């Protein structure tokens, strides 16, 4: 079974993290938060964005990047960054991989990226757009990883409430 992991490096905006948490619950994905955070985990805006799903979230926090690495030895980590040379669809996401995203104001530090060049991926954009919203970026890359893993353990069809599909 695919057990993907989303890693947020020093996230700053509680609503983004709340939305990402909700996406993780909907996809059976674990969320990892590397401190310092730009908010408290009990903030109202975080819970509002995650709605009533936050209680179902598999979330782990780390005091820093080194703590994350120590507690996840051998993890295959893809670095989502606007600075990468390869597109997020050009790699194969293993069922237990980690996909890291940087903080909203600065991304993943370049000293980390330089150590992980072969797993750095980007979402294509036109012009000089700085970046997409963090929640949108997570959803784009996560759903590609899920697609590559055949949406393992996910419901693939929906149902109407008051009608039947023909």
């Amino acid at each position: 079974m695919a057990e993907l992991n989303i890693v947020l490096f020093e996230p700053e905006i509680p609503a983004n993290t709340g939305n990402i948490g909700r996406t993780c619950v909907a996809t059976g994905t674990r969320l990892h938060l590397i401190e310092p955070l730009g908010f408290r985990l009990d903030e109202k805006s975080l819970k509002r964005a995650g709605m009533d799903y936050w209680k179902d979230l598999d979330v782990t926090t780390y005091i820093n990047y080194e703590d994350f690495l120590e507690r996840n030895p051998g993890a295959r980590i893809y670095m989502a960054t606007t600075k990468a040379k390869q597109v997020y669809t050009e790699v194969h996401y293993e069922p237990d991989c980690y996909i890291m995203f940087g903080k909203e104001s600065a991304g993943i530090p370049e000293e980390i990226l330089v150590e992980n060049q072969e797993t750095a991926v980007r979402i294509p954009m036109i012009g000089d757009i700085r970046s997409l919203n963090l929640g949108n970026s997570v959803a784009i890359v996560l759903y590609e990883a899920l697609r590559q893993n055949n949406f393992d353990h996910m419901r693939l069809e929906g149902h109407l409430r008051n009608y039947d599909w023909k």
Side-chain angles (χ1 to χ4, degrees), residues 26-99:
T27 59
T29 302
R30 293 184 298 245
L31 180 62
H32 304 262
L33 303 175
I34 298 175
E35 298 178 353
L37 308 179
F39 50 86
R40 293 186 327 274
L41 287 177
D42 61 352
E43 275 194 36
K44 189 183 287 188
S45 56
L46 175 73
K47 304 281 179 162
R48 186 178 327 120
M51 296 183 67
D52 55 346
Y53 300 103
W54 194 259
K55 66 182 175 17
D56 300 318
L57 179 63
D58 182 352
V59 61
T60 305
T61 58
Y62 304 87
I63 57 172
N64 55 35
Y65 180 65
E66 291 73 25
D67 181 35
F68 168 75
L69 292 177
E70 287 174 16
R71 291 169 55 190
N72 296 284
R76 178 76 165 160
I77 307 167
Y78 293 91
M79 305 281 172
T81 173
T82 59
K83 299 168 178 81
K85 292 183 178 183
Q86 63 185 336
V87 175
Y88 74 101
T89 56
E90 296 175 334
V91 299
H92 171 70
Y93 299 94
E94 298 82 2
D96 59 348
C97 71
Y98 293 71
I99 308 167

Side-chain angles (χ1 to χ4, degrees), residues 4-8 20 24 29-33 97-101 138-139 141-142:
L4 297 168
N5 298 273
I6 293 297
V7 182
L8 302 182
I20 292 164
C24 287
T29 302
R30 293 184 298 245
L31 180 62
H32 304 262
L33 303 175
C97 71
Y98 293 71
I99 308 167
M100 181 180 289
F101 296 81
V138 168
V141 180
L142 174 58

Side-chain angles (χ1 to χ4, degrees), residues 68-153:
F68 168 75
L69 292 177
E70 287 174 16
R71 291 169 55 190
N72 296 284
R76 178 76 165 160
I77 307 167
Y78 293 91
M79 305 281 172
T81 173
T82 59
K83 299 168 178 81
K85 292 183 178 183
Q86 63 185 336
V87 175
Y88 74 101
T89 56
E90 296 175 334
V91 299
H92 171 70
Y93 299 94
E94 298 82 2
D96 59 348
C97 71
Y98 293 71
I99 308 167
M100 181 180 289
F101 296 81
K103 62 181 166 183
E104 291 89 340
S105 66
I108 299 170
E110 289 190 0
E111 57 269 15
I112 294 174
L113 293 175
V114 115
E115 296 172 0
N116 296 279
Q117 294 176 53
E118 68 284 347
T119 59
V121 297
R122 68 174 279 114
I123 299 169
M125 295 176 285
I126 62 171
D128 293 328
I129 300 297
R130 222 175 29 250
S131 66
L132 296 173
N133 170 274
L134 181 59
N136 293 339
S137 297
V138 168
I140 289 167
V141 180
L142 174 58
Y143 267 87
E144 172 61 16
L146 290 164
R147 184 195 67 78
Q148 288 184 16
N149 285 277
N150 299 311
F151 298 108
D152 185 34
H153 76 277

